[in-house]
Amino acid sequence: MLQISRVKARVLRAARWRALAVLAGAALGGLLALPRTPGGGASAPPGGRSAGGPDATESALARAERAALSADRQCLEERAALLRRPALALPATARPELRAQLLGRTKAAPVLFLSEPAAAEQPALAVALRRELETLPGYEVFDRVVGKVRSEPALARAVFLRDGYLYTDNPELARLYGTLTLSLLFRDAELRLMRGGQELSARRLDDGDYEYSSGPERGRRARLLLFDRVAAAGGNWGEPLHLDLQPLAQTLGFDELRMLHASAERLVVELVYGALRVPALLHVGHGGLTLGCEALGDQRAEVQARRALALREHVLQTRLLEVIREQVDEALPFDEPKTEDGQQDGKLRPEWRMAYLNGRSSFEFNGDRYAVFDRSGRPRPPQVCIDFVLDTFERASGNWWQVQGQARERVAGRLRFDDPALANRRSVESFVEFARERSAEFDVFQPAPEERVPLRNRAQFFASIYGQREHYRRGDIVAILGPREDEKLHYHSFFIVATDPLSGMPTELAANAGRPRIRSWEGEMSNAPRRSVWARIRPRGVWLESFLGPLREVSADVPAPAPSEPTAG
């Protein structure tokens, strides 16, 4: 079963530890807020009272409270003074509603531009081609422009790059720019690429494409994302025009950043934590942001608790993302036979499982042969979309098939989804119902029928997701439903793996729809644009913590009856 008894016990224990951690954090925060002497220790209580007495404690807390109130007042005064000064006119890409449209349609580096990248002096042809793109941003015009610059990388860069940035504030162009390749823009042997605050390098391959030669994806094919900055190795970019928001968002754990005033040195903002709004002042420097001051006021304890929770959730989601990236690297096949007799999605996994447990290296289905392992000896079980979701949780708990050369068994981690209440673990609909009945482990949100906008109404769809952004965050599972080409209703499910720190818009999704990939909303849903969001399932942190820990149990899997046919893909 789903190990419900052990999970619930761990949930209760985790809840107790969580309460203790919050209390301890509050106490630690109070101690850290105490005024310090020049020598580094806490200032002595007045009147020479004993540091351990009740009067001393009361005095220390009172001083800490006065210091906090003074810091809040000073921060608000600084912000008020800056708000009276002239502000930078930020580019359109700083507007949250527009960012939702841009970042929903293509993968991007979610940075904040303080000024719009300017196109350098260009040949007349480049100016004309860019104007044509901006006037008629459709596939036909885009393909024609790409055809005209394909043999001239310098011309291609003049058309598509601005000061080295792949930049546009047009959502339709953003979708098209997602298909641009480095090989179209460059022929140089080495490239340098700035993605947010990270500088990457790429080298040219014999086929003309590029692969990363540094960074976490070293050795993989290099991609160009919206708002990336790219140049030949050795080239000089000058000062960055963008700010990387991710480090500050991770440190402070806010949901979004509301811009009120910007200068070249400081930003006046509100940090958003759900319904909480924290006035803050940020310092600009070296392409990033640091916290100058904030006025927490009466929200202090609640904000500190939210930040502690955000940090814990970040650790959990990082582990799940590691497993997602493992599946992307393995390119696990989608469970759809090469040759089908009617609808046979989901039929390959039971066949793979029996071949694996019986010691075979391949199996046959409808006359086609399939491998049990990949070339590296890793297990290659076919997945439907909900398999990808549940496999991610199980693998993160240590539950997965052994590699080639080891015993043919499945190592049992702390979690396995085979509870009888989950009637069909390969059905999106069954999993949503399963989650709805377990409110201690999952939170389920379903938009009202009139709020379900299909992707084909793109502007309304992304506006709807942005309008309901408080319901979507990193680590959530989204289920979509709607007709495909066969006019039958189909489900699909995926993870949210990234959000935009500025707007709070969920931006990157992970799923197996052909093979595991991390894509934008547009990339994940465009093959069936009549589908809309049907449900959002959020695993609760205490449930995740119950199995994302050191493994203590190992057991072998045994053959079981083939699962029922999935209702989703």
Side-chain angles (χ1 to χ4, degrees), residues 432 436 443-454 460-461 463-472 476-481 491 494 496 521 525 531-538:
V432 172
R436 187 185 291 110
D443 174 71
V444 178
F445 162 73
Q446 288 191 278
E450 63 273 14
E451 296 175 336
R452 297 172 189 169
V453 181
Q460 296 94 321
F461 174 84
S464 173
I465 298 295
Y466 173 70
Q468 296 182 333
R469 62 194 179 282
E470 73 274 10
H471 294 294
Y472 302 98
D476 287 351
I477 304 150
V478 176
I480 60 176
L481 174 65
Y491 292 93
F494 44 79
I496 295 173
W521 287 90
M525 295 180 62
R531 291 191 285 195
S532 59
V533 173
W534 180 64
R536 185 273 290 145
I537 306 94
R538 177 171 298 159

Side-chain angles (χ1 to χ4, degrees), residues 343-363:
Q343 173 56 258
Q344 292 188 299
D345 286 9
K347 297 295 186 182
L348 296 179
R349 191 166 175 123
E351 298 292 331
W352 174 90
R353 185 177 181 279
M354 293 304 297
Y356 174 93
L357 293 173
N358 289 327
R360 301 200 300 270
S361 60
S362 65
F363 64 96

